[in-house]
Amino acid sequence: MEQLQPRYLGDGTPAPLGPRSSRIPPTQQNNIGLLLSKHHVTGSITVEGFDGGKEDGEAGTFCNICDPFLYSTQIMTNPTLRANNQDITDLYNDIQNDTLPAVSIVKPDALARRPPGILQAEPV
């Protein structure tokens, strides 16, 4: 079964469509990111390789279908809400600097499955 890709790229632009594209239409339903914002609760989602929306992080590890915010029109078209998408390096910096938001959702991948400072990834 083919996985449906999100309609938005990490920088907020609509993802390209074409005959070989399998993108789900953008959604406008409520989601955890919108609920956190509505109730003035700080939060972020961390997906390894996000790299500030360029989706080209360390070792090409970004998984766009793993970031639910990329499917949300309200989040991806709002620069403030879109900024809650984070890379694993942002999470490590927030931990080190004691600046974690109230809610941190982390999608662990190869780099996140090991403690910071460990250079060699675990076998999958």
Side-chain angles (χ1 to χ4, degrees):
M1 181 171 165
E2 191 169 342
Q3 297 173 336
L4 294 174
Q5 303 292 312
R7 183 61 179 104
Y8 291 98
L9 300 175
D11 64 3
T13 59
L17 298 175
R20 295 184 178 260
S21 173
S22 57
R23 299 206 179 267
I24 193 168
T27 68
Q28 295 205 17
Q29 64 193 32
N30 257 342
N31 59 62
I32 192 163
L34 296 174
L35 292 172
L36 291 172
S37 176
K38 177 181 177 181
H39 294 285
H40 308 286
V41 176
T42 60
S44 68
I45 184 159
T46 299
V47 180
E48 182 181 330
F50 186 72
D51 192 24
K54 293 180 278 195
E55 301 181 16
D56 65 353
E58 185 176 341
T61 54
F62 184 71
C63 172
N64 65 347
I65 64 170
C66 301
D67 184 341
F69 291 174
L70 295 183
Y71 295 88
S72 172
T73 297
Q74 299 98 312
I75 289 178
M76 295 311 296
T77 57
N78 179 319
T80 302
L81 295 178
R82 188 172 60 243
N84 292 327
N85 282 295
Q86 300 289 311
D87 198 332
I88 195 72
T89 55
D90 299 310
L91 174 70
Y92 291 157
N93 287 335
D94 285 347
I95 291 169
Q96 183 175 10
N97 297 323
D98 198 24
T99 57
L100 281 170
V103 176
S104 294
I105 302 166
V106 180
K107 180 350 186 141
D109 280 323
L111 298 177
R113 285 193 303 245
R114 64 181 195 267
I118 303 298
L119 298 177
Q120 185 174 352
E122 296 176 16
V124 178

